[in-house]
Amino acid sequence: MSLLAREPGISEQVAGLGAEWLPEERLSRHTSLAVGGPADIIRVHDVHRLAELGGYLRRRGVPWRILGGGSNLLVVDEGLPDVLLHLARGEAMAFAGNHVEVPAAANLGTAVLECAKRNLGGMEGLIGVPGTVGGALRMNAGAYGTEIGDVVRALTLFHGATGLTETVKSESVRFEYRHSSFSPDDVMLSVTLELPNSPYAVILERIKQYNQKRRASQPIHERSAGCIFKNPSGHSTGKMIDELGLKGTRLGGAVVSERHANFIVNRYQATATDILKLMDLIRERILKAYGLELEEEVIVWKG
Ligand SMILES: Cc1cc2nc3c(=O)[nH]c(=O)nc-3n(C[C@H](O)[C@H](O)[C@H](O)COP(=O)(O)OP(=O)(O)OC[C@H]3O[C@@H](n4cnc5c(N)ncnc54)[C@H](O)[C@@H]3O)c2cc1C
């Protein structure tokens, strides 16, 4: 429970700031791994009033984080004392020649397809990456040789620390492997992408191929957060886990996927603790066998 939960008339106050108060939401319902205890969520319907909402939270000393589609998050079973801001989908994508402005709350796959319909390619590799455009920007999501950072030209951000909203050029942002240089309290509001022209039929064919590849190599019908660990430079984490014979290893309800060794799946009503323990086991085995320290790709949210 957050500090705000004790505030009298909190629903009305939050509604007055263009948002919606969702107390004690079980985060297992908001994350693709389907684990995580309760937290209070504020769904932001009017992003133009985020500065007011941010000020309201700051004055009360309430810590917050930003929740996207929950497809790269591992939230602990105890839940979180922080409020989670969640941008509601609202505004449409705006197209102008080879540029498109996409709201951060948009679904990434939908954005790829909407661009394809206008003969704009360059993002086909991202088609099967679940979640929002905002989450993809934060993570610099990538697949099959494409990273979202490659096609970003400008971004509009709300800086939690200053309460200011500003539009920045892509040159002032560092997009790295599953990492971007934004500060933790930067909230992505929208992004302008520049995409090359490509015929719709050609884009669709590529999308079909990437979907097939993904289906063949990933447990897409099970609950997961994608790759759990990053690949150390020059190494494939999945290959190393596989070589150690860890595929199928089960701890509580969590299992190392047989289809892709760098995926942990929640197959038998796992808890976050089960998944964290399985991650520790993998980390220890890799360190012992290869002398490499694995870095998490999944973002772990603890209280
Ligand atoms: C089956 C499966 C396959 C996957 N395959 C891939 C893959 O091929 N490549 C890949 O890169 N990832 C992959 N992922 C991981 C995940 O889909 C990506 O990291 C995705 O971009 C996360 O987006 P999200 O909206 O779900 O973010 P969340 O999981 O909700 O959040 C992730 C981070 O982004 C931050 N964030 C979210 N929205 C905003 C915002 N508007 N402003 C600022 N910060 C924000 C959160 O605070 C958090 O730090 C896969 C996941 C699954 C389940």
Side-chain angles (χ1 to χ4, degrees):
M1 187 194 286
S2 69
L3 286 172
L4 269 191
R6 295 184 202 102
E7 189 94 9
I10 182 64
S11 296
E12 291 74 20
Q13 292 187 50
V14 170
L17 293 162
E20 188 184 351
W21 174 244
L22 303 168
E24 299 274 293
E25 283 283 316
R26 295 213 71 84
L27 295 179
S28 51
R29 294 183 50 241
H30 295 270
T31 54
S32 58
L33 264 172
V35 296
D40 297 332
I41 294 181
I42 293 182
R43 184 162 294 146
V44 179
H45 289 285
D46 185 354
V47 288
H48 304 291
R49 301 191 62 192
L50 204 49
E52 277 176 77
L53 180 61
Y56 176 89
L57 297 176
R58 204 169 31 249
R59 285 193 296 281
R60 283 160 182 76
V62 177
W64 53 268
R65 308 178 194 218
I66 176 106
L67 172 68
S71 66
N72 202 44
L73 293 175
L74 171 50
V75 184
V76 292
D77 300 312
E78 298 74 33
L80 301 169
D82 302 19
V83 164
L84 304 186
L85 300 185
H86 183 248
L87 305 182
R89 279 184 204 150
E91 295 177 26
M93 294 166 62
F95 291 88
N98 287 78
H99 291 89
V100 53
E101 189 181 356
V102 191
N107 175 273
L108 179 63
T110 308
V112 174
L113 289 174
E114 286 301 315
C115 293
K117 283 185 203 160
R118 283 141 181 110
N119 303 309
L120 294 173
M123 292 208 293
E124 296 88 331
L126 298 174
I127 189 66
V129 179
T132 63
V133 168
L137 291 166
R138 162 80 60 191
M139 298 306 303
N140 188 23
Y144 305 117
T146 307
E147 287 185 339
I148 194 165
D150 299 339
V151 289
V152 170
R153 291 299 162 260
L155 283 137
T156 301
L157 310 172
F158 169 72
H159 297 290
T162 59
L164 296 176
T165 298
E166 90 172 306
T167 299
V168 297
K169 292 248 160 55
S170 55
E171 294 80 54
S172 59
V173 183
R174 268 193 339 278
F175 286 107
E176 293 160 0
Y177 169 49
R178 302 302 163 267
H179 177 76
S180 58
S181 58
F182 303 105
S183 81
D185 60 1
D186 282 345
V187 182
M188 259 57 88
L189 300 180
S190 67
V191 61
T192 301
L193 308 173
E194 185 178 354
L195 302 170
N197 287 110
S198 184
Y200 184 41
V202 173
I203 302 176
L204 277 192
E205 186 49 39
R206 285 200 206 116
I207 284 177
K208 217 168 98 187
Q209 287 169 10
Y210 289 129
N211 278 338
Q212 272 167 3
K213 274 193 186 181
R214 213 173 258 277
R215 268 198 300 274
S217 61
Q218 296 182 4
I220 56 169
H221 298 299
E222 291 197 85
R223 291 170 293 196
S224 81
C227 288
I228 285 283
F229 297 108
K230 293 186 183 179
N231 291 320
S233 172
H235 300 267
S236 157
T237 301
K239 190 160 170 279
M240 291 189 289
I241 299 173
D242 193 4
E243 282 168 359
L244 291 174
L246 292 175
K247 275 183 173 178
T249 304
R250 176 175 173 184
L251 224 156
V255 179
V256 178
S257 167
E258 294 82 356
R259 188 161 279 216
H260 191 313
N262 198 13
F263 277 51
I264 290 181
V265 293
N266 174 0
R267 190 171 294 162
Y268 307 105
Q269 289 168 357
T271 59
T273 309
D274 294 340
I275 297 171
L276 286 165
K277 282 188 183 159
L278 193 49
M279 286 167 65
D280 283 345
L281 183 150
I282 294 170
R283 229 190 312 258
E284 278 164 28
R285 294 288 305 274
I286 295 275
L287 182 60
K288 207 164 152 209
Y290 297 90
L292 293 168
E293 294 215 20
L294 290 180
E295 194 187 331
E296 286 153 11
E297 179 166 330
V298 68
I299 310 260
V300 181
W301 275 357
K302 299 183 177 153

